[in-house]
Amino acid sequence: MLGRNNMSPNRLEVVLMLLMLMVYNASGAFVGINIGTNVSDLPSASDIVSILKAKKIQHVRLVDSNHEMLVALANTGIEVMVGVPNNELLRVGQSRPTAADWINKNVAAYIPATNITYIAVGDEILTTVPNAALVLVPALQFLQSALLAANLNTQVKLSSPHSMDMISKAFPPSTATFNSTWSSIMLQYLGFLKKTGSSFMLNAQPYYGYVKGQGVFPLEYALFRSLNPNSQIADPNTNLFYTNMFDAMVDATYNSMKAMNFTDIPVMVTASGWPWHGARKEPAADVDNALAYNTNLIRHVLNNSGTPSQRNNQVSTYLFELFSEDLRSGSVSGESWGIMFSNASAVYSLTFEDVATASTDSPALHGMFCVANSSAPHSALKQSLDWACGPGSANCSAIQPGQPCYKPDDIVAVASYAFNDYYHRTQASGGTCNFNSTATISSTDPSKLNFLLSIHVLASRYCHSRTNYKINQ
């Protein structure tokens, strides 16, 4: 096929290298991790940083501004979010000098050696400490003034994490709105984010959404697992399908902001995870579900597919959390969110590398391909393609607009790319090549459907070698 295009080896190599650069330089979302302090035997700061390096974690959220951690994180390149704890918010929000002092002692003193990029001001203040609500926006403004005075306002952004309890009715996402109790404060808060170019910080915990739903939503929906085609969950106002609760929560937040006439404020998820242990009345809190949720969450975020209503807005996310906080008050499950014990042993194995593009191809699938059915209606193919690249977590980065395998006028070829990737990743764990009867198994390499995908196959050694993804094996 390449011969018919008269492309010389040297010219082909140049093209392949260009494709490699296009894919490699594509920006996207990241997955970081929360580090809490309610731990009876917390490892030393240097040991924690060693764990972060070993796991290749490049983004961390500290619940406070622990100075030992800030020193240990120096010269690591790890991006750091520090926090103004709730018990310090009143002081900071009532005094401009106090806010300036906080910035000088906890941020300016450690930059540039420590790569501090965000400050989380309080945590779920409006729903957990309502008496401090009136000082939230003043605290943000005072701290912003201090950053400006220290010439750090372009490097360090400010925001404040909110829980889903801020949204009166989260489903369907298209009609979601913030609780009217906080309308005045939310208008000021969103205005601050818009003015400073900051993100809306959301603590999105599908575990709680699933538990509070009391059976309304299937467990698979909360865990990013494939739903039966007859159980697909759609927003009746937009006809957008939601096959995971995480996306629905994020879209509910976007629509709540839109209802207040604010757009173009990105959502950053500052906490999301799943407990690995719970009391007898908390059956969903177990190791298998925690491993499934966090693995699928990482894959979903790094896939850069956005959400059903925000395809072009990737959602960077901080996993909750590194260590289980045994000193946290409340339920049994509340003490069991960590991926590690305080002795540095793993609760379960979890990788923070690009699992969204890691191959799980089975040798049994060599020579077998999942391709789109060319006779299927384009509308059905489009729906299956959206599922594959969204909840299905296929690696669709190369077929996005502006990427080397984007082919807007050939949905059969593009869908085949996504279907085949999904099938080769998930077949060993039960994934099928069906997609509501829009796909089928073939012994013909889908790359032969058009020249563009053929180029991609040859280019895979260059531009996808780091992903171990080989569509033509």
Side-chain angles (χ1 to χ4, degrees), residues 102-113:
W102 195 96
I103 290 294
N104 290 332
K105 290 181 178 178
N106 300 296
V107 179
Y110 299 94
I111 290 177

Side-chain angles (χ1 to χ4, degrees), residues 135-170:
V135 300
L136 174 59
V137 174
L140 290 166
Q141 294 169 336
F142 291 162
L143 291 167
Q144 178 69 12
S145 295
L147 288 175
L148 186 63
N151 199 29
L152 294 174
N153 57 300
T154 57
Q155 175 177 339
V156 183
K157 297 296 182 182
L158 286 157
S159 188
S160 182
H162 297 284
S163 75
M164 286 299 297
D165 291 337
M166 276 297 300
I167 299 176
S168 299
K169 186 180 178 182

Side-chain angles (χ1 to χ4, degrees), residues 170-445:
F171 202 91
S174 61
T175 59
T177 58
F178 292 122
N179 189 319
S180 59
T181 303
W182 309 113
S183 292
S184 176
I185 292 173
M186 287 305 292
L187 280 171
Q188 297 175 61
Y189 168 69
L190 295 174
F192 175 86
L193 300 183
K194 186 77 170 181
K195 181 179 179 180
T196 59
S198 299
S199 299
F200 185 103
M201 291 181 172
L202 173 70
N203 291 346
Q205 300 289 19
Y207 170 75
Y208 291 128
Y210 169 73
V211 172
K212 292 177 182 178
Q214 296 182 326
V216 173
F217 299 108
L219 181 60
E220 290 80 7
Y221 176 67
L223 295 174
F224 294 92
R225 285 176 171 160
S226 300
L227 291 172
N228 184 296
N230 297 324
S231 302
Q232 298 296 305
I233 297 171
D235 186 321
N237 303 305
T238 61
N239 289 324
L240 292 173
F241 284 86
Y242 286 88
T243 52
N244 70 82
M245 192 179 291
F246 178 89
D247 280 352
M249 288 178 166
V250 173
D251 274 357
T253 305
Y254 273 114
N255 282 296
S256 295
M257 288 192 284
K258 185 178 179 181
M260 301 191 81
N261 297 316
F262 284 92
T263 57
D264 301 323
I265 296 175
V267 171
M268 171 189 289
V269 174
T270 38
S272 192
W274 198 279
W276 55 268
H277 178 60
R280 181 174 298 178
K281 63 181 180 180
E282 300 174 305
D286 63 34
V287 171
D288 288 341
N289 288 342
L291 174 59
Y293 180 84
N294 286 330
T295 298
N296 291 334
L297 172 67
I298 294 171
R299 179 180 292 115
H300 184 68
V301 170
L302 297 184
N303 192 42
N304 292 321
S305 57
T307 62
S309 75
Q310 303 287 327
R311 287 299 184 195
N312 295 322
N313 292 333
Q314 287 83 39
V315 187
S316 293
T317 301
Y318 290 83
L319 198 71
F320 189 82
E321 60 187 328
L322 186 58
F323 301 109
S324 289
E325 297 181 84
D326 59 318
L327 300 181
R328 181 185 292 272
S329 60
S331 63
V332 174
S333 63
E335 304 173 2
S336 310
W337 290 71
I339 65 171
M340 304 189 75
F341 296 105
S342 59
N343 64 3
S345 63
V347 177
Y348 48 83
S349 179
L350 192 68
T351 177
F352 281 73
E353 293 185 85
D354 198 351
V355 296
T357 53
S359 172
T360 56
D361 197 357
S362 166
L365 295 180
H366 290 174
M368 297 173 60
F369 306 96
C370 181
V371 300
N373 185 344
S374 60
S375 63
H378 280 199
S379 59
L381 283 173
K382 175 64 166 57
Q383 184 174 324
S384 295
L385 176 62
D386 287 345
W387 186 91
C389 294
S393 296
N395 176 24
C396 297
S397 57
I399 56 176
Q400 298 300 312
Q403 296 305 310
C405 298
Y406 179 56
K407 190 79 169 176
D409 57 348
D410 194 345
I411 191 170
V412 172
V414 174
S416 294
Y417 182 111
F419 294 171
N420 192 59
D421 182 83
Y422 169 84
Y423 182 57
H424 277 244
R425 289 173 190 279
T426 64
Q427 190 273 342
S429 58
T432 63
C433 178
N434 182 272
F435 296 95
N436 289 335
S437 300
T438 61
T440 185
I441 294 292
S442 172
S443 59
T444 302
D445 189 332

Side-chain angles (χ1 to χ4, degrees), residues 440-470:
T440 185
I441 294 292
S442 172
S443 59
T444 302
D445 189 332
S447 68
K448 295 179 181 178
L449 290 170
N450 61 54
F451 173 68
L452 183 62
L453 286 182
S454 180
I455 283 287
H456 167 68
V457 172
L458 293 178
S460 64
R461 295 190 184 94
Y462 295 91
C463 64
H464 289 295
S465 61
R466 63 190 178 93
T467 71
N468 296 320
Y469 174 75
K470 295 181 177 65

